[in-house]
Amino acid sequence: MRAIRVASAALLGVTALTFTAPAAFAGDRDDHGITPFAFSVQPSTIAAGGQVSLLLKREGGCRGKATVTSGVFDTVTIAPGQSSATAMVDWDARPGAVYDVTFSCGGASGSTGLTIAGGRPDGPTPVPLQRGVRAGVGGSAGGFDLKEIGLGTALIAGSVGAAWYMTRRRAASEES
């Protein structure tokens, strides 16, 4: 009888650990291919006729010229030594549609989505130049959040403690 209680407490502990595991394997990446270089389109949602920045982080392996293609703007070439370029989105882009933007360099290519928002801008939209994606950090770019770690530890300790208390209480009542 005691073995069943111990197995139940162990199963409860393993279940608690499973639910607190990081979601690193969720597979929610929106790029369609792994490349030796990082890339992004800023902003990722733009109105038809707007201007987007095409950002390329070359440290990973793109040494020569890079080509950026999409069905919503003309082909853009990013020269060697450059890390960005701009493109004007076609005025006839369908609002709500998501267009693939493909970055190609050194025989490797990868894609990301560009969403077309409703409405049209009055003129060219200035786009702040930002850094490219943080490829390879696996979602840990923000660092450790001590509140979340503390809360997870408290939940695990609480569930293990409750299982231990319930097991000891039953054992004491059966001995009486």
Side-chain angles (χ1 to χ4, degrees), residues 45-103:
T45 302
I46 187 90
Q51 183 177 6
V52 292
S53 292
L54 308 169
L55 306 171
L56 179 67
K57 192 170 185 178
R58 294 183 175 272
E59 290 133 12
C62 178
R63 304 270 183 251
K65 75 174 185 172
T67 309
V68 186
T69 58
S70 179
V72 73
F73 56 77
D74 294 333
T75 299
V76 175
T77 300
I78 302 176
Q82 299 293 317
S83 61
S84 66
T86 58
M88 291 292 291
V89 175
D90 295 338
W91 282 101
D92 60 349
R94 292 185 327 261
V98 178
Y99 291 89
D100 278 340
V101 178
T102 303
F103 289 75

